[in-house]
Amino acid sequence: MENKHKSLIDYLLILGDNSLILGHRLSELCGHGPSLETDIALTNISLDLFGQVRSYFQYAAELTGGEATEDTIAMKRVDREYRHTWLVEQSNKDFAYVIGRQFLFDAFHLPLLEQLVNSKDEMIAAIAAKSIKESRYHLRFSSSWMERLGDGTQESHQRMQNAVNDLYPFTYEFFEETATEKMMLEAGIGADLKSIETIYRQTIKDVFAKANLEIPDTPARKTDGKKGIHSEQLGFILAELQYMQRAYPNMSW
Amino acid sequence: MVAADLQNLPVPVQEALLEITDPEIPVLSIMDMGVVREVTLDEKHVHIKLTPTYSGCPAMDTMAVDIKRALEKRGYDATVKLVLAPAWTTDWITPAGRAALEAYGIAAPLDAQSDKYALIDGERIVKCTNCGSANTKMVSQFGSTACKALFQCEECLEPFDYFKCLK
Ligand SMILES: [Zn+2]
């Protein structure tokens, strides 16, 4: 395979896997949301994310050629081949965790897409232009819940603060540039993570202030999800995500 | 950006495309929805470019299958290609489509700014599809499908869907 394609495919996985794994975590809440409204909202967000993943993976499959399809890419890789960050694989510990994880991702995802709209790769630009409209709704949803919980009762405030205290250290990983991301940026295909980080920290500052939450001063967690090194959480996720395709290869309905 | 122009196509092809509807909103034809971007004819083979409303919308696969079936019934083959750019916007829903939505009980999308006022600031501007009152409140930002939000009328108490503005 051409080296250029290899890096592009790797980049598509970095982009798509965050949405795939977060979409899966949200799908676990189907029928289990704390209220009908939030249940529907979270599963709809999950569906949007899966839709975006399909576009990235269809493109990656086309570049890979051979037997590759969107499904083999989503379902048949081993854990070390997934490129998402640790934040999105964190479990649905309680509703505050779900909202905190969503907000900390959405605040990154939106400026990322805003840059990818201008990618020199036409397909990535098109996927971003499509996704950005959906992600605006996601960020609105998660920010408003950050405020409702953070600025709500003593209980909801405490839980929201605990959740962000645990999750915030994972956010630094978004901005640790891998060799692939560097190469894609230089080629005019990828996003500039440094400028996204500035926007990101500002969004966090604004929303945390409105939500009456403290920005944790805990140090960054040293994680390498984008290089395929994951926490023990991923094993459980993949056991469920891949079950059907592993048990009944190539099944469809 | 207008939808595909069907005028120069054979009548059976036009008929086929006009009869396909969104499986989740059966009153809205795919032409009125503005998702059919291009139709070209190569003898008896029809090439169609379809654009998704939302990227995860499960209705898209069904629509593609329905299109092929409707054309085959009339003696045509069809290839349906999903295109992402330019991305679909609710502005592409035709006036006839908007009227069909309202008659079906789904409030048609407002402009982007008003949409924000209604969904974020809770302003009472989405008109009830049952009685026409603007005294309505949002129940949920996401409704029965990703493209809709759930509202309730405070006058007649009827719950209804609002088709969110996507721009
Ligand atoms: Zn009413």
Side-chain angles (χ1 to χ4, degrees):
Chain A
M1 193 188 303
E2 258 184 83
N3 201 33
K4 196 187 122 209
H5 271 182
K6 225 179 134 204
S7 303
L8 183 53
I9 292 166
D10 194 44
Y11 191 57
L12 291 169
L13 297 182
I14 290 176
L15 295 176
D17 281 345
N18 272 337
S19 297
L20 175 70
I21 300 300
L22 183 57
H24 180 80
R25 275 295 188 213
L26 293 173
S27 77
E28 292 173 0
L29 293 164
C30 188
H32 298 277
S35 68
L36 191 58
E37 176 196 349
T38 46
D39 192 301
I40 295 171
L42 293 167
T43 43
N44 268 310
I45 292 172
S46 171
L47 194 61
D48 282 343
L49 293 173
F50 283 146
Q52 298 168 12
V53 172
R54 286 190 67 184
S55 299
Y56 286 123
F57 287 4
Q58 281 164 5
Y59 183 31
E62 198 184 303
L63 295 171
T64 307
E67 306 271 285
T69 67
E70 53 181 299
D71 286 334
T72 62
I73 294 175
M75 313 285 181
K76 293 204 179 152
R77 280 179 287 159
V78 297
D79 55 351
R80 284 290 183 98
E81 293 170 322
Y82 285 83
R83 294 278 184 268
H84 60 277
T85 55
W86 281 39
L87 176 76
V88 298
E89 68 187 40
Q90 299 308 305
S91 62
N92 301 322
K93 199 167 160 188
D94 66 9
F95 186 57
Y97 264 73
V98 172
I99 292 302
R101 185 185 61 202
Q102 193 63 37
F103 169 71
L104 293 172
F105 174 73
D106 293 337
F108 164 71
H109 199 203
L110 187 59
L112 172 73
L113 295 172
E114 273 165 355
Q115 285 209 9
L116 292 179
V117 166
N118 299 315
S119 173
K120 276 191 188 159
D121 185 291
E122 275 180 25
M123 196 61 204
I124 290 181
I127 298 170
K130 180 87 212 146
S131 309
I132 203 168
K133 302 179 181 193
E134 297 159 0
S135 290
R136 276 194 203 111
Y137 273 112
H138 302 169
L139 181 59
R140 274 194 219 163
F141 172 82
S142 57
S143 310
S144 70
W145 271 103
M146 285 284 289
E147 288 170 34
R148 273 166 88 171
L149 295 177
D151 199 24
T153 64
Q154 207 178 354
E155 170 85 9
S156 74
H157 171 79
Q158 195 52 53
R159 285 197 187 211
M160 198 62 245
Q161 186 67 56
N162 292 347
V164 291
N165 287 351
D166 284 357
L167 296 169
Y168 196 73
F170 292 115
T171 62
Y172 296 90
E173 191 186 353
F174 288 138
F175 310 104
E176 272 171 36
E177 196 178 57
T178 60
T180 297
E181 288 168 309
K182 187 163 183 279
M183 197 188 295
M184 289 295 118
L185 172 62
E186 284 164 2
I189 294 172
D192 174 19
L193 296 174
K194 275 202 191 70
S195 68
I196 295 176
E197 182 160 26
T198 313
I199 300 169
Y200 186 72
R201 300 293 166 207
Q202 188 59 47
T203 308
I204 302 263
K205 224 170 123 182
D206 295 345
V207 173
F208 273 52
K210 273 194 229 162
N212 193 23
L213 293 166
E214 302 269 343
I215 298 178
D217 56 4
T218 38
R221 280 284 294 264
K222 179 71 191 127
T223 53
D224 276 321
K226 287 193 278 190
K227 294 180 191 156
I229 313 294
H230 298 286
S231 72
E232 74 283 6
Q233 306 258 18
L234 184 61
F236 295 101
I237 293 174
L238 294 186
E240 199 175 302
L241 180 72
Q242 300 186 334
Y243 169 75
M244 281 301 232
Q245 282 299 328
R246 295 281 185 201
Y248 306 96
N250 305 323
M251 65 93 62
S252 68
W253 68 80
Chain B
M1 190 81 196
V2 289
D5 189 2
L6 300 185
Q7 271 178 19
N8 298 321
L9 294 163
V11 174
V13 175
Q14 293 191 24
E15 278 175 3
L17 290 171
L18 288 167
E19 82 177 26
I20 312 296
T21 58
D22 180 329
E24 277 158 355
I25 314 171
V27 291
L28 192 57
S29 84
I30 53 171
M31 295 312 298
D32 279 332
M33 213 183 338
V35 292
V36 179
R37 305 314 302 163
E38 197 184 290
V39 184
T40 47
L41 193 63
D42 184 4
E43 306 246 325
K44 283 277 184 183
H45 195 102
V46 192
H47 296 268
I48 292 157
K49 285 188 181 163
L50 201 63
T51 193
T53 50
Y54 280 69
S55 29
C57 183
M60 298 315 295
D61 292 335
T62 314
M63 286 181 223
V65 171
D66 289 349
I67 290 173
K68 283 187 196 165
R69 198 175 292 154
L71 285 165
E72 271 162 21
K73 220 168 60 189
R74 294 171 170 86
Y76 290 85
D77 277 335
T79 311
V80 180
K81 192 171 183 264
L82 224 52
V83 290
L84 293 180
W88 183 79
T89 133
T90 39
D91 288 353
W92 293 354
I93 302 176
T94 63
R98 292 177 64 91
L101 281 175
E102 293 274 350
Y104 188 58
I106 300 172
L110 299 168
D111 63 86
Q113 197 58 47
S114 310
D115 182 86
K116 213 176 267 179
Y117 291 148
L119 294 179
I120 302 297
D121 306 333
E123 273 193 38
R124 298 182 174 225
I125 43 178
V126 177
K127 285 201 183 119
C128 168
T129 52
N130 185 44
C131 74
S133 166
N135 186 15
T136 60
K137 66 161 196 250
M138 187 183 77
V139 178
S140 168
Q141 237 188 71
F142 291 84
S144 51
T145 57
C147 56
K148 288 173 266 166
L150 192 60
F151 275 72
Q152 183 169 25
C153 178
E154 301 262 69
E155 293 299 326
C156 72
L157 303 180
E158 192 73 7
F160 62 96
D161 272 333
Y162 163 63
F163 204 117
K164 290 182 281 193
C165 171
L166 193 70
K167 254 194 115 98

